[in-house]
Amino acid sequence: MTGALKRVTLVLGGARSGKSAFAERRIEAASPARLYLATGQAWDEEMRDRIASHQVRRGAGWETVEAPVELAQALTANTRADRPVLVDCLTLWVTNLMLGEHDMDQAFEQLAAAIPGLDGPVVFVSNEVGLGIVPDNAMARAFRDHAGRLHQSIASLADEVYFVTAGLPLKMKG
């Protein structure tokens, strides 16, 4: 059922690069049963519109579980061999952790520790934010640095890593 997917896949890309659509297509091709693990929170109208747009694009056939902060726990509770999980996205998770003043290292370590024991395939989506100029404020620099460290951690555990730009995936690992 999920043979086309590796156990852990990381899909990176910039904003509106096509990374989520690419990840969704990979999962849809692998299994009729699929779970969308959402980290985004609808804090304002613009974010509500983004979430709605993603839901419309995915269409029917996706179960959704919201996990804005407790990502490792949600993955452990919701992965199974016959249903791949899409985590979209890690950078929104980082934002939620930062805004909630959570211990970033502890959260990242919990996620990394959970990954080897997951019961089914997982595709992580995240924004690559470290390719531009150095941000002009401490919070933005901390966000960029946290995201970069998290990406390195997940990439080291992943069987496959893709970078998507202009809707075109580049396989970087696997």
Side-chain angles (χ1 to χ4, degrees), residues 79-100:
T79 55
R80 58 183 214 225
D82 67 332
R83 182 187 65 192
V85 174
L86 173 61
V87 175
D88 198 357
C89 83
L90 290 176
T91 41
L92 286 174
W93 181 59
V94 169
T95 299
N96 298 337
L97 292 172
M98 288 181 70
L99 292 176

Side-chain angles (χ1 to χ4, degrees), residues 77-160:
N78 288 285
T79 55
R80 58 183 214 225
D82 67 332
R83 182 187 65 192
V85 174
L86 173 61
V87 175
D88 198 357
C89 83
L90 290 176
T91 41
L92 286 174
W93 181 59
V94 169
T95 299
N96 298 337
L97 292 172
M98 288 181 70
L99 292 176
E101 298 182 2
H102 294 270
D103 183 321
M104 304 300 286
D105 292 333
Q106 180 182 28
F108 292 0
E109 288 168 11
Q110 286 176 346
L111 180 59
I115 289 173
L118 297 177
D119 292 330
V122 178
V123 178
F124 292 96
V125 173
S126 198
N127 290 286
E128 179 50 67
V129 296
L131 298 174
I133 61 172
V134 175
D136 69 348
N137 65 79
M139 183 176 186
R141 285 189 300 275
F143 174 79
R144 177 208 54 197
D145 293 349
H146 289 313
R149 284 194 342 271
L150 178 60
H151 293 162
Q152 289 183 55
S153 174
I154 301 302
S156 73
L157 298 168
D159 302 297
E160 291 184 320

